[in-house]
Amino acid sequence: MVNQRFCTVCGKEKEQKQTGFGSICIYIECECEKKLREEKEKKDSDYALKTAVELRNQNSHLTSLGSKASFKTAVTDKYNEVAVRGGKYLLNQLLNDKNHDKKNGLVLQGNRGSGKTYISCAVINDFNSQLPLSDEQKKQIIKERNNGFSFKDYTPVKSPCKFITETDLFALYYDDFNYRKTNSPVEEFKRAKKLLVIDDAGTLTYEKDRVQAMYLNIIDYRYSEGLSTILTTNLKKQELDEYLGDRVFDRLNSCCYFLDLISPESRRNVNS
């Protein structure tokens, strides 16, 4: 109900309702005004949800291509069927806060272009899309839009899922040796509350001891805290064991399902 005598849409005089305060009258909202208001509220809600997903994906450090990955549009064939099912299973565990099971992670192994990165990004993107948006966050997004804020200045809507390549993780971890500080950028990834995806494990063919020390620090923490992790790699199981070291591999073997995506040719064009 609004205190306007005539409908702003059709111009008709509205029905009045007497209040308990003497001569004060309230005019009941016209049906066409109500319909217009509900349409606007839906558009605002849809905009807020779409923007929240974009902000979450940005906070997850997904690339533009990674933000398009989804199980809704994923192409499934005999080569990736098991891995897609594994990704959907993990997504369901994360959404239902059941990621404290003993096996709560994935190691996706396969040749280049087989869909490993796509599946891992789909878990994050679909999680960010299905995570509820609070009324407070929704109001803040609409407020900032109405005030003319550009997207880069919107208040961040954070995600508990993070994505990073092995090369970038290594650079962060050893940057000025400040990884021991709690405010180090690498801590954002190491302590991701729901999921950490480390993409292209096995690409650093130098400084083996430093690579293994990095993985032990991060994987051991996530293993002990019961946090989910996805690794994608071109390496086979034995090669990955030698690359990461026995201690790291044992932890991954205890908490992750190892899934193969070996295809005869690149599926990159199919999944992009």
Side-chain angles (χ1 to χ4, degrees):
M1 294 180 292
V2 292
N3 197 22
Q4 290 180 331
R5 182 174 179 180
F6 297 97
C7 174
T8 58
V9 180
C10 65
K12 293 181 179 179
E13 187 173 2
K14 299 176 186 176
E15 180 183 351
Q16 296 184 32
K17 179 179 180 180
Q18 194 74 30
T19 69
F21 300 97
S23 60
I24 300 177
C25 290
I26 295 294
Y27 297 97
I28 299 175
E29 185 179 42
C30 182
E31 282 299 318
C32 48
E33 271 188 336
K34 178 181 177 182
K35 181 180 179 182
L36 192 66
R37 174 180 57 79
E38 290 177 345
E39 288 175 352
K40 182 181 181 303
E41 288 176 351
K42 185 179 186 308
K43 286 181 180 178
D44 284 347
S45 179
D46 291 345
Y47 174 83
L49 291 172
K50 180 177 180 295
T51 302
V53 174
E54 292 177 10
L55 291 168
R56 286 171 181 155
N57 285 346
Q58 185 180 73
N59 184 252
S60 296
H61 303 279
L62 286 183
T63 63
S64 297
L65 187 61
S67 297
K68 297 176 183 177
S70 173
F71 290 118
K72 296 176 183 177
T73 55
V75 176
T76 306
D77 58 26
K78 63 181 180 180
Y79 300 107
N80 72 350
E81 181 181 1
V82 174
V84 169
R85 287 208 312 265
K88 289 180 178 179
Y89 170 80
L90 179 57
L91 172 64
N92 183 64
Q93 295 293 93
L94 298 175
L95 287 169
N96 292 284
D97 200 24
K98 296 179 180 178
N99 60 327
H100 299 294
D101 295 344
K102 185 177 180 181
K103 293 275 190 180
N104 64 351
L106 302 174
V107 177
L108 302 179
Q109 301 169 283
N111 53 321
R112 293 176 59 188
S114 57
K116 305 181 300 297
T117 301
Y118 185 96
I119 291 172
S120 62
C121 287
V123 175
I124 296 181
N125 186 34
D126 285 356
F127 177 89
N128 288 340
S129 298
Q130 297 179 51
L131 191 64
L133 183 66
S134 70
D135 289 339
E136 183 179 348
Q137 290 174 321
K138 191 180 297 185
K139 290 176 182 178
Q140 184 65 28
I141 289 173
I142 298 303
K143 178 182 177 181
E144 292 178 355
R145 181 202 62 182
N146 293 343
N147 287 339
F149 282 37
S150 64
F151 181 81
K152 64 182 180 63
D153 294 324
Y154 276 29
T155 303
V157 180
K158 296 186 177 180
S159 171
C161 302
K162 305 297 176 187
F163 176 94
I164 191 168
T165 65
E166 180 187 75
T167 304
D168 287 342
L169 184 63
F170 185 80
L172 276 181
Y173 190 85
Y174 284 108
D175 183 28
D176 296 328
F177 295 96
N178 67 355
Y179 62 90
R180 293 182 182 277
K181 298 180 181 179
T182 56
N183 61 347
S184 169
V186 80
E187 292 294 319
E188 175 188 4
F189 297 92
K190 175 181 174 180
R191 299 177 185 275
K193 291 297 183 182
K194 283 289 185 179
L195 175 66
L196 170 63
V197 173
I198 303 176
D199 194 37
D200 280 339
T203 58
L204 299 172
T205 57
Y206 53 90
E207 298 186 274
K208 183 177 180 179
D209 290 343
R210 283 159 64 87
V211 172
Q212 291 185 352
M214 175 192 76
Y215 272 110
L216 181 60
N217 183 288
I218 293 171
I219 298 301
D220 185 64
Y221 172 81
R222 298 192 65 77
Y223 174 79
S224 62
E225 293 294 322
L227 302 174
S228 295
T229 304
I230 294 179
L231 252 68
T232 74
T233 182
N234 295 341
L235 301 180
K236 296 179 181 179
K237 206 167 185 178
Q238 182 59 42
E239 294 172 330
L240 190 63
D241 188 352
E242 295 174 359
Y243 181 80
L244 298 176
D246 291 341
R247 296 171 69 186
V248 175
F249 188 82
D250 285 347
R251 284 160 178 75
L252 289 176
N253 208 28
S254 296
C255 67
C256 293
Y257 294 102
F258 284 70
L259 305 176
D260 290 330
L261 291 91
I262 305 298
S263 60
E265 58 183 14
S266 174
R267 301 176 70 256
R268 195 180 304 278
N269 292 333
V270 177
N271 282 329
S272 59

